[in-house]
Amino acid sequence: MTNEMPLVTSKEMLIKATNEGYGVGAFNANNMELVQAVIETADEMKAPVILQVSQGAIKYAGLEFATMMVKVAAELASIPVVLHLDHGTDFLQNVLCLRAGFTSLMYDGSAEPLQQNIAISRKITEIAHACGIPVECELGKIPKIEDNLTEEQVSNLMANPEAAEKFVEETQCDSLAAAIGSVHGMKEDIQPLDIGRLDEIRRRTNVPIVLHGSSGVLRTRKDAEEKGIRLKDHEGTVEDAIKHGVAKINVATELSLTFIRAMHAQLEKTPGEKDMRKILLPAKDAVKTRVREYIELFGCAGKAEVAGASGLSASEIKYHE
Ligand code: G3H
Ligand code: 13P
Ligand code: ZN
């Protein structure tokens, strides 16, 4: 019945992506239809994929349901799938997910003073590494649109490249969520990234870099042109970020919006519908279309075969020239 493809860890998957210059999509798993849409599309495109579960999703679905949904979907697919904790804001959340069988963790200590962020990150990497599980840690702060920050305030929260070097060394994190100008939860993809800063962080560190808040980031230079947005010399898009070494690209809001809009459209078309599945199925299909676009943009189609099984270690990651 199943292809028996077990979950893989994000470690080799992201090192391979970094070295080969493509990105892996990390999509937020909020319900069954969304999980199926992401994994089916990745399977069709032979792309490695990360399903991530936030604390909000754990509160909504329960840890057991969230975990089992992704595990079952992964077993039915023939691609490598990672089950990742998204923005675990404390030690306990990370330990609970480690015990539940997550194959990748995140500690987001961005609300803590730097020394505290480093200390808790290190404590989590030590425990997770003992179980063979990699950990993503956050430096700087990737804010939310609801924080209502000015451009200058967003810029002031970005990760400092010098601090990034020390942070990676001291925390022993396996990937770095570096704040480079994106903002979580945006409904429009208009935000440019600080590619100069990304280059500098890549030059000083040797772990895969994670882009958060990707729904709001300009996808391509062509998109920027079409939207009449002029990029400064050091600025760039998702496409540029991948060229400059970003390996994991987090998308939540755009898939949620796509799902909601498709449900609205279907309800308008068939207002008297009594079968909920007939409203949910078009929403799932709309998400599949969007995930297909993202996988094409990230360049990870056809990369499934060896991702997650390359046997590389973090020390073998190529530095960005
Ligand atoms: O970065 C966080 C994601 O956007 C999802 O967070 O599921 O708790 O709303 P949430
Ligand atoms: P968006 O919701 O802005 O796409 O951000 C997703 C994210 O960064 C999850 O960690
Ligand atoms: Zn995020």
Side-chain angles (χ1 to χ4, degrees), residues 86-87 106 138 142 184 212-213 250:
D86 185 33
H87 293 283
M106 176 183 185
E138 177 161 333
I142 303 131
H184 282 111
H212 280 251
N250 287 12

Side-chain angles (χ1 to χ4, degrees), residues 12 15 25 48 69 94 118 128-129 134-135 138 142 163 172 184 188 206 215 229 234 266 269 307:
E12 287 82 11
I15 291 175
M69 254 189 332
N94 273 272
I118 293 175
H129 290 172
V135 186
E138 177 161 333
I142 303 131
Q172 293 290 299
H184 282 111
E188 252 193 305
N206 69 342
S215 297
I229 299 172
H234 67 284
Q266 190 58 31
K269 246 197 264 174

